[in-house]
Amino acid sequence: MADPERIKAVAEHVAYTKRHGNDVVVVVSAMGKTTDNLISLANQVSSTHPGRELDMLLTTGERISMALVCMALADIGIDAVSFTGSQVGIITDTVHTKAKILEVKGDRLREALSAGKVAVVAGFQGVSTEREITTLGRGGSDTTAVALAAALNADVCEIYTDVTGVFTADPRIVPQARKLQQLDFEEMLEMAGAGSKVLALRSVEFARNHNVPLHVRSSFTWETGTWVLDRSAQISSKETAMEEPIISGVVQDTGESKITVVGVADKPGISAALFEPLAAANINVDMIVQNTSKDGRTDISFTAPKADLKKALEIVNGVAKEIGANDVTHVESVAKISLVGAGMRTSPGIAAKMFRVLAAAGVNIEMISTSTIRVSVVVDAASTETALRALHTAFGLDSGQAYSAPLPERK
Ligand code: ASP
Ligand code: MG
């Protein structure tokens, strides 16, 4: 919801859905760059951001949206009522800025719906077991929406975003990317975990755990987007008469840094000593590589979100002294490139082909990790575009035609 015009368009969309006989709960996120601007304001007044105060600040963005959407709905004759996360009973743990939802009460939503009203809920927020206002992490409105859909047993959770669905690659970087018709929860989970920004990872986990069908689409058009469903609910390849693709997409994550602890003793307890304090500080360590040891010493490299780099370095430098490591080095910006596809379970050789394609494109691989349906590599950030395009073509994902729908600025 970038501007007042978009808010009115959203209201029209909601009114249409409501008038066609649906009970509707709308979850809103903040307008445009509101959340980023609030963070920048916080930076301008202070370098200390107590979690409680940061959450108080950030939750205002969604409150603005919810009130405006209700007013726009009132203007076109739809009875609507707004609620904060706390008012609808979204109960979270006490971890400010990254809280997890523990329970959704939803009584006030049920009351509003049975009174024939549209309920508009501020996304991205809840209230902790200690009665403090919390936020659910960036992109958390998706999680609010899925959690409410699960609690209310909704038929579908429609996620309106700035692209028309989930694509085989980010169309801003790979113009030949295609919109996917459907994906299963596991594939979407891997994509979100691998850095796809279409849906917040937490929201997909929630959807899978509660089997909430998701429809990812754009509020700019009425075209069908991408359905994210349980495997058993998908339209089978027999019905579409199309061959099941092995790879569903190529995903990049350019939001990670790499830290290397050089020359640590190769003995029990070292990794635990290193990663326990990072976990305690809520830093999401992603890939970890430990080299074979030489003369009883080894190097350990890992990636973590750029946003946590400063905190991670402080912790690692402290531990490095304690465990007698030689040095700590870091690269601020690396790129993780992942291939995701449920078909990998039954097709060997995907990783090998991926490495060959990257080699032919002159891209050096720094780290590798895999799951049953994903292969990820860490490469130099400057190689992102080359790697994505080469893999997209080599794995037969190109559409033959450039994606031409209007795309907003890259965030
Ligand atoms: N406004 C929050 C953010 O920018 C939540 C969201 O957009 O989903 O991260
Ligand atoms: Mg968002």
Side-chain angles (χ1 to χ4, degrees):
M1 298 196 302
D3 54 37
E5 279 315 306
R6 291 304 308 155
I7 290 191
K8 288 204 240 171
V10 166
E12 290 289 348
H13 202 101
V14 171
Y16 179 92
T17 311
K18 170 74 181 162
R19 290 193 172 115
H20 280 74
N22 299 290
D23 283 340
V24 186
V25 173
V26 183
V27 174
V28 291
S29 66
M31 288 172 72
K33 300 225 168 298
T34 304
T35 309
D36 290 333
N37 294 341
L38 290 171
I39 292 173
S40 128
L41 261 179
N43 287 331
Q44 287 170 49
V45 296
S46 170
S47 56
T48 347
H49 303 141
R52 181 185 186 278
E53 306 311 328
L54 195 56
D55 280 350
M56 280 294 199
L57 178 71
L58 296 188
T59 47
T60 60
E62 274 69 13
R63 291 178 70 138
I64 294 172
S65 299
M66 72 179 190
L68 293 177
V69 167
C70 282
M71 291 177 195
L73 282 167
D75 214 34
I76 51 176
I78 298 282
D79 201 2
V81 53
S82 68
F83 297 106
T84 63
S86 143
Q87 284 178 310
V88 292
I90 296 177
I91 314 296
T92 73
D93 64 17
T94 57
V95 184
H96 282 292
T97 75
K98 291 182 190 174
K100 285 206 174 81
I101 296 177
L102 301 175
E103 194 195 341
V104 175
K105 298 210 196 306
D107 305 344
R108 298 195 65 179
L109 287 178
R110 286 185 202 94
E111 280 165 27
L113 292 178
S114 55
K117 295 179 181 172
V118 167
V120 181
V121 181
F124 172 59
Q125 56 182 274
V127 59
S128 77
T129 46
E130 310 261 284
R131 289 180 297 161
E132 299 291 1
I133 299 296
T134 49
T135 60
L136 309 176
R138 297 306 305 270
S141 297
D142 297 349
T143 312
T144 304
V146 178
L148 293 183
L152 298 170
N153 224 334
D155 297 332
V156 56
C157 178
E158 298 187 320
I159 308 249
Y160 290 91
T161 177
D162 48 15
V163 282
T164 55
V166 181
F167 282 71
T168 51
D170 184 339
R172 299 164 183 98
I173 302 181
V174 183
Q176 314 288 2
R178 281 180 293 116
K179 184 169 78 187
L180 294 157
Q181 196 182 16
Q182 58 180 8
L183 277 167
D184 64 45
F185 288 127
E186 298 305 323
E187 286 174 308
M188 195 63 237
L189 260 184
E190 291 282 4
M191 284 196 182
S196 159
K197 295 279 181 291
V198 182
L199 292 176
L201 178 61
R202 258 317 153 65
S203 72
V204 189
E205 274 169 357
F206 221 102
R208 180 196 53 186
N209 295 347
H210 297 86
N211 198 8
V212 178
L214 305 178
H215 184 190
V216 183
R217 57 194 303 195
S218 159
S219 55
F220 289 83
T221 79
W222 282 101
E223 74 181 88
T224 306
T226 303
W227 283 83
V228 184
L229 301 157
D230 186 68
R231 199 152 189 76
S232 62
Q234 292 197 6
I235 308 163
S236 77
S237 51
K238 281 186 211 93
E239 285 163 67
T240 58
M242 272 175 12
E243 209 185 316
E244 202 90 57
I246 294 170
I247 301 300
S248 299
V250 196
V251 184
Q252 84 282 2
D253 185 348
T254 50
E256 302 239 308
S257 302
K258 185 172 88 168
I259 298 177
T260 303
V261 192
V262 184
V264 293
D266 194 5
K267 63 177 191 200
I270 295 292
S271 291
L274 188 59
F275 292 109
E276 270 167 3
L278 289 167
N282 257 302
I283 294 174
N284 259 326
V285 170
D286 183 23
M287 281 201 215
I288 304 174
V289 171
Q290 176 174 341
N291 285 339
T292 52
S293 63
K294 228 175 110 193
D295 309 323
R297 296 211 157 243
T298 178
D299 299 344
I300 299 177
S301 293
F302 65 91
T303 60
K306 256 189 227 171
D308 291 334
L309 178 62
K310 209 173 126 213
K311 200 160 47 151
L313 281 174
E314 271 165 32
I315 293 171
V316 173
N317 278 315
V319 179
K321 281 206 194 78
E322 280 164 39
I323 60 177
N326 296 342
D327 195 11
V328 176
T329 62
H330 73 275
V331 180
E332 189 177 343
S333 193
V334 294
K336 180 172 72 172
I337 308 289
S338 306
L339 274 180
V340 176
M344 267 187 219
R345 283 201 185 89
T346 49
S347 325
I350 299 296
K353 176 169 171 184
M354 179 184 193
F355 304 154
R356 174 56 60 203
V357 171
L358 291 173
V363 176
N364 186 42
I365 299 171
E366 297 173 19
M367 298 167 110
I368 300 169
S369 82
T370 64
S371 81
T372 43
I373 62 166
R374 175 184 52 80
V375 186
S376 302
V377 297
V378 166
V379 303
D380 180 27
S383 305
T384 309
E385 209 173 292
T386 312
L388 282 175
R389 290 189 180 164
L391 292 168
H392 200 267
T393 304
F395 282 91
L397 297 173
D398 285 357
S399 62
Q401 147 193 349
Y403 181 69
S404 60
L407 284 169
E409 245 190 343
R410 240 163 106 190
K411 280 195 205 122

